[in-house]
């Protein structure tokens, strides 16, 4: 199939004359995706994937056991500032290279082929992990709701079945085109914002008892088995580190966003600071609503049957509000999590599509195909399958969920910061785009890089003691496995097949890009 047949099969109104199309062609890609996403929609997909009603809620029990309220609140503030530095740095480079490949393409252009290759594999691993974490968390909340409302609490096999159903639903919805995804993302933004406001209001107005400010802002708790408060507090930062991921979606969707060189960077930064503020309010509201001493419920949640660590918010709501309100608020959380997972799969599919478009993956010709709605469906179903496989260890150990969230963090954080680090290294030689940090760019990039090195080390550490086969944090194993696969494929085929464009698009470049 020729390039002309591809573009005629997927018409994009006014694409040929747009500045976005001209910029993409100058970078080296022929537009084949449908550019129908607005600036608000671009912000919305990152905000939906960050989803404070997903990350905050699914790791709330983890946070209570790894430092408790003091670490949850102050750790949230500190890590949010660090993540904002990463986002600012990434946004500046996104303005210059607004492509679906995003991070790996930026790294390739700024640092060379090897940097692009490593960044792409890290980004892909992190996206697989974050999708597994989001949708498995949604399955746990669904299990908590059915336990409260209908008296049916799924066992571990039931949870995996629900998880598979959620992934399947998200896969099907993602086949219908970017307009459907954009619509859900718009709804998701307001659902998250109004949902958080509603939950916070109920938690403050309905309970007859609230914790003191001293408890919320200074109380320390530790049920990990480790004795060191510094160590426990450090691993407790995973709550924020995992939640505030996914903002690269604004970059991945830039080939489908109008005025992408300006609106995609804005989408990245806005999604982080809005999520940071709303997430802090949500955490504080739940901490104030805790009944009793606050420590005992962590132990209770582990054996409550409502679905593991995710039951921490469920128990707080049941104790503080009663069953009716707990059910209502749990439904609000579930809908937000479903929107989050839908957006995450859409973003990841674009990344896999772009990585395959440049010949980086085994079976690249299969994963880079798009359907008649200009959706990379093969890449999308690959994402669904791998995310399902990542969560399967939850059948054998409760620590698996913490490891999956760690995989997301240690894969995504380095991928996010590498473009900013390479930009900082270029200094004044870097040519900024329409959205720029100016003279502050190098300082922001280097500062963000320091945090990411610390973060990766922290999230590879054991999360429970004693360390056994069942409590071991297998996140570093997954990281090493992905890097080994990346290295082997590089030696076998990648050096020859991986070929991001070096400049303006060639007429024959997409001759074998089929539409399915």
């Amino acid at each position: 199939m020729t390039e002309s047949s591809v573009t005629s099969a997927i018409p994009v109104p006014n694409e040929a004359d747009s500045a976005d199309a001209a910029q993409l062609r100058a970078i080296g890609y022929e537009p084949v995706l449908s550019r129908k996403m607005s600036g608000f929609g671009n912000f919305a997909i990152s905000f939906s994937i960050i989803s404070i009603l997903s990350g905050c809620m699914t790791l709330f029990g983890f946070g209570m056991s790894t430092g408790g309220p003091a670490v949850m609140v102050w750790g949230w503030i500190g890590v949010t500032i660090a993540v904002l530095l990463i986002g600012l740095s990434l946004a500046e480079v996104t303005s210059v290279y607004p492509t679906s490949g995003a991070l790996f393409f930026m790294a390739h252009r700024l640092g060379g082929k090897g940097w692009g290759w490593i960044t792409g594999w890290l980004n892909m691993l992190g996206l697989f992990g974050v999708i597994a974490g989001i949708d498995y968390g949604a399955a746990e909340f669904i299990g908590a709701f059915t336990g409260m409302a209908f008296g049916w609490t799924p066992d571990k096999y039931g949870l995996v079945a629900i998880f598979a159903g959620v992934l399947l639903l998200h896969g099907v919805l993602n086949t219908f085109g970017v307009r459907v995804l954009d619509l859900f993302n718009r709804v998701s933004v307001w659902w998250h914002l109004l949902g958080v406001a509603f939950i916070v209001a109920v938690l403050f107005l309905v309970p007859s008892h609230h914790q003191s400010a001293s408890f919320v802002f200074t109380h320390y708790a530790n049920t990990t088995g480790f004795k060191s408060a510094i160590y426990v507090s450090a691993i407790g930062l995973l709550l924020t580190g995992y939640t505030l991921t996914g903002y690269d979606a604004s970059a991945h969707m830039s080939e489908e966003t109008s005025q992408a060189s300006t609106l995609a960077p804005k989408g990245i930064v806005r999604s982080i600071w809005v999520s940071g503020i709303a997430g802090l309010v949500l955490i504080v509201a739940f901490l104030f609503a805790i009944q009793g001493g606050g420590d005992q419920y962590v132990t209770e949640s582990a054996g409550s049957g409502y679905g593991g660590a995710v039951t921490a918010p469920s128990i707080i709501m049941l104790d503080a509000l009663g069953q009716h309100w707990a059910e209502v608020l749990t439904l609000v959380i579930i809908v937000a999590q479903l929107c989050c997972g839908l957006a995450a799969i859409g973003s990841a599919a674009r990344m896999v599509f772009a990585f395959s478009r440049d010949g980086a993956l085994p079976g690249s010709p299969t994963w880079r195909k798009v359907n008649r709605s200009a959706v990379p469906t093969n890449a999308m179903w690959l994402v669904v399958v791998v995310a399902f496989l990542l969560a399967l260890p939850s059948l054998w150990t409760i620590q698996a969920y913490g490891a999956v969230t760690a995989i997301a963090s240690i894969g995504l954080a380095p991928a996010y910061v590498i473009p900013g680090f390479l930009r900082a290294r270029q200094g004044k030689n870097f040519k900024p785009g329409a959205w720029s940090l100016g003279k502050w760019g190098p300082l922001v990039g280097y500062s963000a890089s320091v945090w990411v090195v610390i973060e990766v080390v922290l999230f590879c550490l054991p999360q429970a003691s004693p360390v056994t086969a069942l409590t071991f944090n297998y996140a570093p194993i997954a990281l090493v496995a992905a890097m080994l696969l990346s290295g082997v494929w590089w030696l076998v085929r990648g050096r020859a097949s991986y070929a991001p464009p070096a400049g303006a698009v060639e007429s024959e470049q997409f001759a074998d890009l089929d539409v399915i």
Side-chain angles (χ1 to χ4, degrees):
M1 178 174 287
T2 65
E3 176 195 347
S4 59
S5 64
V6 172
T7 53
S8 62
I10 312 170
V12 183
N14 303 318
E15 185 81 59
D17 298 325
S18 72
D20 293 304
Q23 183 180 17
L24 191 61
R25 290 191 177 99
I27 290 172
Y29 292 113
E30 178 65 29
V32 296
L33 300 178
S34 180
R35 198 177 292 274
K36 296 177 182 178
M37 182 170 280
S38 65
F40 182 81
N42 184 277
F43 151 74
I45 191 168
S46 284
F47 182 77
S48 296
I49 296 175
I50 291 175
S51 183
I52 55 176
L53 287 174
S54 178
C56 288
M57 296 295 93
T58 54
L59 285 182
F60 197 95
F62 176 87
M64 280 298 294
S65 67
T66 54
V71 175
M72 294 171 75
V73 172
W74 299 110
W76 181 274
I77 294 172
V79 175
T80 297
I81 294 172
V83 171
L84 189 57
L85 292 176
I86 301 172
L88 286 167
S89 185
L90 177 62
E92 183 178 41
V93 185
T94 297
S95 181
V96 182
Y97 304 112
T99 70
S100 293
L103 315 183
F104 79 83
F105 183 80
M106 301 172 197
H108 171 77
R109 280 295 179 89
L110 294 175
K113 200 170 182 179
W115 280 104
W117 180 268
I118 293 172
T119 302
W121 279 85
L122 285 169
N123 190 198
M124 189 169 60
L125 172 67
L127 288 171
F128 289 152
V130 82
I131 290 167
I134 291 166
D135 279 4
Y136 193 85
E140 289 187 311
F141 262 97
I142 292 170
F145 177 78
T146 60
M148 289 185 287
F150 307 113
W152 179 74
T153 302
D155 59 11
K156 59 184 180 181
Y157 298 103
L159 281 175
V160 169
I162 296 172
F163 169 57
V166 171
L167 281 172
L168 181 63
L169 171 66
H170 286 157
V172 171
L173 289 175
N174 263 289
T175 63
F176 294 118
V178 71
R179 279 187 171 175
V180 173
L181 187 61
D182 190 26
L183 174 63
F184 274 99
N185 290 332
R186 289 169 179 269
V187 171
S188 175
V189 168
W190 295 110
W191 187 272
H192 273 82
L193 293 176
L194 296 177
V196 168
F198 176 64
I199 291 171
V200 169
V202 171
L203 289 174
F204 273 110
L205 296 175
V206 174
S208 58
H209 167 76
H210 289 90
Q211 292 289 342
S212 66
S214 175
F215 173 86
V216 172
F217 296 106
T218 66
H219 182 72
Y220 172 81
N222 173 20
T223 60
T224 63
F226 294 109
K227 301 301 182 184
S228 171
I230 295 177
Y231 181 90
V232 171
S233 299
I235 62 175
L237 298 178
L238 176 61
L239 166 65
T240 316
Y242 166 69
T243 301
L244 297 183
T245 56
Y247 47 87
D248 59 321
S250 290
H252 291 305
M253 300 302 297
S254 58
E255 286 188 37
E256 295 160 90
T257 303
S258 300
Q259 302 177 52
S261 62
T262 300
L263 296 182
K266 287 183 177 180
I268 292 171
V269 177
R270 186 180 300 137
S271 66
I272 295 171
W273 70 257
V274 172
S275 297
I277 294 172
L280 180 62
V281 172
L282 181 67
I283 289 173
V284 168
F286 266 92
L287 291 174
F288 269 114
I290 289 175
Q291 305 297 295
D295 291 340
Q296 80 286 353
Y297 93 99
V298 178
T299 303
E300 293 172 1
S301 69
S304 66
Y306 281 125
V310 76
T311 58
S314 302
I315 291 179
I316 292 173
M317 292 186 291
L318 283 168
D319 289 346
L321 308 172
Q323 183 165 328
H324 172 71
W325 275 114
E327 291 172 3
V328 171
L329 298 192
T330 299
L331 279 178
V332 172
I333 293 170
I334 289 171
V335 172
Q337 291 175 337
L338 292 177
C339 289
C340 173
L342 177 69
I345 289 177
S347 172
R350 271 67 180 182
M351 188 273 153
V352 173
F353 156 79
F355 212 26
S356 299
R357 179 173 61 183
D358 290 343
L361 298 180
S364 284
T366 298
W367 314 127
R368 69 187 185 188
K369 292 181 179 179
V370 297
N371 68 7
R372 297 290 171 178
S373 298
V375 176
T377 47
N378 288 353
M380 183 267 298
W381 288 116
L382 175 65
V383 169
V384 168
V385 171
V386 176
F388 177 77
L389 295 176
L390 269 181
L392 279 185
S394 62
L395 290 172
W396 293 277
T397 170
I398 194 173
Q399 303 298 329
Y401 186 78
V404 166
T405 57
I407 288 171
S409 300
I410 64 178
L412 291 177
Y416 290 169
V417 85
I418 286 174
F421 167 77
L422 295 174
R423 176 264 179 269
R425 195 176 66 169
Q426 287 197 356
K428 294 182 179 179
N429 293 325
F430 176 78
K431 296 181 179 179
W435 194 98
S436 172
L437 296 174
K439 65 180 181 180
W440 298 104
L443 178 61
V444 171
Y446 284 131
S447 300
S449 300
V450 171
W451 158 247
V452 168
V453 171
I454 297 171
E455 181 182 27
V456 169
V457 172
L458 293 181
F459 299 160
C460 285
L461 297 174
Q463 299 170 350
S465 179
V467 179
T468 66
L470 292 180
T471 62
F472 182 74
N473 179 4
Y474 70 87
I477 303 299
L479 177 63
V480 170
M483 291 299 96
L484 283 176
L485 177 60
S486 166
V488 170
W489 186 247
W490 173 263
L491 294 174
V492 172
R493 182 77 184 276
R495 285 180 295 184
S497 65
Y498 176 55
V505 65
E506 301 289 342
S507 60
E508 72 275 7
Q509 182 176 351
F510 290 88
D512 61 345
L513 183 61
D514 294 329
V515 177
I516 56 175

